[in-house]
Amino acid sequence: GWDVAETLSAMANTDGGELVVGIENDGAITGLPHGEDKVRLLMGVPKDRNYVSPPLPCHASQVTTAAGLRLLHFEVDWSPDVHQLADSRYLLRVDDRNSPFAADRIAALKSAKAQGLLERSFPPGARLEDLDLDLVRAQLGAVWPGRSAEDILRHYGLIAQRNDHSVPTLAVLLLFGRDPARWHPRCGIDFVRWEGTERKHGAELNITKRIPVETPLAVLIQKAREAIHPFIRERQQLYDLFFSEKLEYPTFAWQETIVNAVAHRDYSLQGAPIEVWMYDDHMEIRSPGLPPAPVTLEALNRRERVHFSRNPMMVRVLADLNYMRDLGEGIPRIFDEMDRAGCYPPRFEVVGGFVFQVTLRNEPVYDRATLDWLAKFKNVELSGDQKRMLAYAHAHGDRFASREYQSVIKRDIYGASTAIKDMIRKGAARSTGKGSRIYLVQEPLRVHPNMPNELVRLLPVLQRKGALKNADVANTLLVSRPTATRLLNDWVAAHWLNKEGSRRWTSYRPGDRLLMHQSQYASGKSEPDAYRPENDA
């Protein structure tokens, strides 16, 4: 019962959702292993204060598959209340996880939830005839085949039955209205291309193009993409005697930022539209309203997977239209895409007290040679900050100090220490000695085509520690100490490793053959095994 209560309360506290009991995480249908008493207990969980309070807005039903397996289906709606488990925990649904929410921020969460009631309001005088039902069928017909436009809207809770006729919510009037501006005067997107790198006024006004995009929200994002895309420039770069094209902004980064602006703006603020301002060196996406709790600027700038919808009904429709993917996944991916393109990370801030702004810069952080060098670490899961530290160190003798990490990356000593330890654990750096705060960059060791399989398995350990010991071989390969010694001696004889020290201080570092392979890879040579022992002379 607790698993059901946790998931349903987390969904109700976020955007709502569906839970099916009897289907495994991998999609296998196993059915319910419980008897009737247990099934009745599970179906009663959403309304049972012994599990959650207040009771959840949830519909529970039993489903029988063609193979005769029984499932439980729960459909929980977004709730204006904040639901607490009987053990005093508050949970939010982020991606596929139930994440705890700090009790001292419940007041902020309640305030944010109150804003969610706006999209559920019924504007006076609005009728079903104010909706473009053809647009509903065109956009959602494939999602709900065979259903009428009214049935589809009723499924989402976007219309309600009042006095024998259907009444539309504000959400559906903005999503599918014939004239959305009648219900919200500034619900579109205003795109402005500015000349230069800053906004000017008066006689120096530097607007080169202005495109207002005003359509129902169901197609607003696509129309905005089409309007803005021609202004995303391609830059030619000469590389290896060939010109290569590269967009100045990663496509996912700027488009996802616009999706978030439309989905999460505060529609109670009617004095300004969403604005996309493009300059020569950066782009600003400005959305009315502060981030709703529990989303904070600090969490966003730390790349945390946080999610809360100010407009959960709109978000559900936009998700079904494939504008939005896993909830909470978008912001970290924007960081990743900017990192991969060699650009600065996005910046999140509040301007003017009520406008949430995301800034994307198109200047590359690294030159082409540095990007190529960083590509060696593509299989190492490093953050953008860690990559920037590697690039800095590479330009300064392949070494860096803790204080340099603090200064360059703007982290305190504890944040720098944590990041450096992570780099060491992943084999991208190593310490110069016990107690030292000087670190060496360690390029990933490359697998040689003729390398023994056992040694290939030990490369991560060799990468991380800089040297192997007998115990490392024995523990990693699950062999005896004598077998480990024999393998190490074989690899020394084949010049894969060099033996250093004696007795208990014996260690084995990369040998000439392995180092030559690393050198060949770095220089771009493809000769599979140029090392010959006679070259030692």
Side-chain angles (χ1 to χ4, degrees):
W2 277 108
D3 289 343
V4 172
E6 289 178 357
T7 299
L8 294 180
S9 67
M11 288 178 172
N13 282 339
T14 314
D15 294 332
E18 297 180 57
L19 170 68
V20 179
V21 181
I23 299 180
E24 304 304 317
N25 290 335
D26 60 2
I29 300 176
T30 55
L32 291 172
H34 311 300
E36 290 297 333
D37 290 344
K38 180 67 172 179
V39 169
R40 282 195 296 270
L41 184 150
L42 290 176
M43 293 185 69
V45 164
K47 308 296 183 183
D48 191 340
R49 291 181 180 271
N50 290 317
Y51 287 98
V52 60
S53 180
L56 297 167
C58 182
H59 174 71
S61 61
Q62 297 188 45
V63 179
T64 302
T65 69
L69 297 174
R70 186 165 56 164
L71 310 174
L72 286 186
H73 177 241
F74 297 91
E75 187 169 5
V76 62
D77 196 5
W78 170 89
S79 174
D81 297 314
V82 178
H83 298 271
Q84 182 182 28
L85 293 169
D87 60 6
S88 300
R89 288 180 298 149
Y90 296 89
L91 299 176
L92 293 176
R93 189 71 174 176
V94 179
D95 195 9
D96 60 352
R97 295 176 291 106
N98 301 323
S99 299
F101 185 66
D104 59 359
R105 303 202 61 213
I106 295 304
L109 180 58
K110 288 182 177 179
S111 175
K113 275 186 165 286
Q115 296 178 23
L117 295 173
L118 176 67
E119 65 170 358
R120 295 168 181 262
S121 64
F122 298 94
R127 304 182 65 85
L128 192 65
E129 292 75 17
D130 294 313
L131 302 179
D132 186 343
L133 298 184
D134 289 337
L135 180 62
V136 175
R137 284 187 286 268
Q139 294 294 308
L140 290 171
V143 180
W144 303 101
R147 300 180 71 165
S148 69
E150 286 189 55
D151 284 343
I152 293 171
L153 297 180
R154 197 170 285 109
H155 170 82
Y156 288 103
L158 293 169
I159 59 175
Q161 202 70 19
R162 298 283 178 87
N163 300 324
D164 298 326
H165 64 274
S166 296
V167 180
T169 61
L170 177 62
V172 74
L173 289 166
L174 299 185
L175 284 164
F176 298 104
R178 295 184 183 277
D179 182 15
R182 176 184 172 188
W183 314 103
H184 191 297
R186 308 298 297 276
C187 61
I189 294 176
D190 193 14
F191 171 70
V192 181
R193 179 64 172 93
W194 302 86
E195 183 178 14
T197 60
E198 61 181 0
R199 181 185 181 189
K200 297 180 181 179
H201 305 273
E204 297 183 327
L205 186 65
N206 55 331
I207 294 178
T208 62
K209 190 71 174 180
R210 187 169 204 154
I211 304 176
V213 185
E214 297 175 351
T215 67
L217 301 190
V219 291
L220 177 66
I221 295 169
Q222 182 58 36
K223 295 297 183 182
R225 288 173 176 172
E226 293 171 359
I228 296 170
H229 187 269
F231 296 88
I232 305 293
R233 296 171 297 185
E234 288 188 344
R235 293 178 171 175
Q236 282 195 334
Q237 295 180 322
L238 183 62
Y239 179 58
D240 284 351
L241 302 181
F242 293 95
F243 282 104
S244 62
E245 300 287 346
K246 178 184 176 184
L247 293 173
E248 60 180 339
Y249 298 99
T251 300
F252 177 87
W254 69 267
Q255 292 189 359
E256 179 70 9
T257 305
I258 291 174
V259 169
N260 287 336
V262 172
H264 302 305
R265 73 159 285 179
D266 186 346
Y267 285 95
S268 69
L269 302 174
Q270 299 191 5
I274 295 167
E275 296 173 310
V276 180
W277 292 355
M278 183 181 291
Y279 300 86
D280 289 353
D281 62 346
H282 71 283
M283 177 191 294
E284 297 172 0
I285 297 90
R286 304 159 62 91
S287 177
L290 305 181
V295 181
T296 64
L297 291 176
E298 294 76 13
L300 291 172
N301 284 309
R302 289 197 301 266
R303 313 184 184 204
E304 292 183 10
R305 296 187 69 149
V306 293
H307 173 75
F308 183 82
S309 295
R310 179 184 274 115
N311 311 298
M313 293 174 75
M314 295 183 188
V315 165
R316 186 177 178 189
V317 172
L318 293 175
D320 282 351
L321 293 176
N322 292 321
Y323 287 121
M324 308 183 75
R325 296 173 178 81
D326 293 336
L327 301 179
E329 178 247 17
I331 297 301
R333 188 176 165 191
I334 291 174
F335 275 95
D336 290 343
E337 293 293 332
M338 294 294 282
D339 282 344
R340 192 172 293 114
C343 296
Y344 287 92
R347 184 173 74 247
F348 300 89
E349 58 189 324
V350 172
V351 297
F354 70 95
V355 175
F356 177 59
Q357 177 174 298
V358 183
T359 302
L360 305 176
R361 298 169 61 186
N362 61 22
E363 316 105 306
V365 181
Y366 316 112
D367 58 25
R368 183 77 245 184
T370 303
L371 270 177
D372 287 345
W373 180 79
L374 283 173
K376 298 177 181 181
F377 298 87
K378 65 181 179 181
N379 294 323
V380 184
E381 295 182 358
L382 298 172
S383 70
D385 289 342
Q386 290 171 327
K387 290 177 183 176
R388 280 188 285 279
M389 196 63 236
L390 286 179
Y392 172 88
H394 186 57
H396 295 81
D398 286 329
R399 58 195 296 128
F400 64 96
S402 174
R403 66 178 180 275
E404 289 175 307
Y405 196 105
Q406 298 167 47
S407 173
V408 173
I409 308 300
K410 308 301 181 187
R411 291 288 184 271
D412 60 26
I413 187 172
Y414 303 105
S417 176
T418 299
I420 293 170
K421 288 178 181 177
D422 183 61
M423 293 169 72
I424 293 173
R425 181 176 62 82
K426 292 175 178 176
R430 60 185 176 90
S431 174
T432 55
K434 187 175 182 180
S436 173
R437 293 193 174 181
I438 305 296
Y439 305 91
L440 300 178
V441 173
Q442 200 164 249
E443 294 185 10
L445 294 172
R446 300 290 170 177
V447 176
H448 189 286
N450 296 331
M451 186 179 291
N453 291 333
E454 294 90 343
L455 184 54
V456 171
R457 293 169 57 189
L458 285 159
L459 282 185
V461 182
L462 182 58
Q463 175 81 52
R464 186 172 66 252
K465 294 186 174 183
L468 293 174
K469 288 187 171 293
N470 183 288
D472 295 322
V473 178
N475 294 335
T476 302
L477 302 182
L478 301 179
V479 298
S480 65
R481 290 294 184 93
T483 299
T485 299
R486 177 182 59 77
L487 289 171
L488 287 165
N489 288 334
D490 289 345
W491 297 334
V492 169
H495 302 277
W496 293 115
L497 301 176
N498 282 338
K499 182 178 179 180
E500 298 180 356
S502 60
R503 301 176 66 86
R504 59 182 298 186
W505 293 279
T506 302
S507 62
Y508 300 83
R509 298 189 178 277
D512 295 335
R513 192 176 185 183
L514 184 53
L515 293 174
M516 178 175 285
H517 177 58
Q518 297 298 112
S519 176
Q520 289 171 346
Y521 185 90
S523 64
K525 295 179 181 179
S526 58
E527 191 174 354
D529 196 355
Y531 178 77
R532 297 290 183 272
E534 58 268 20
N535 292 341
D536 291 346

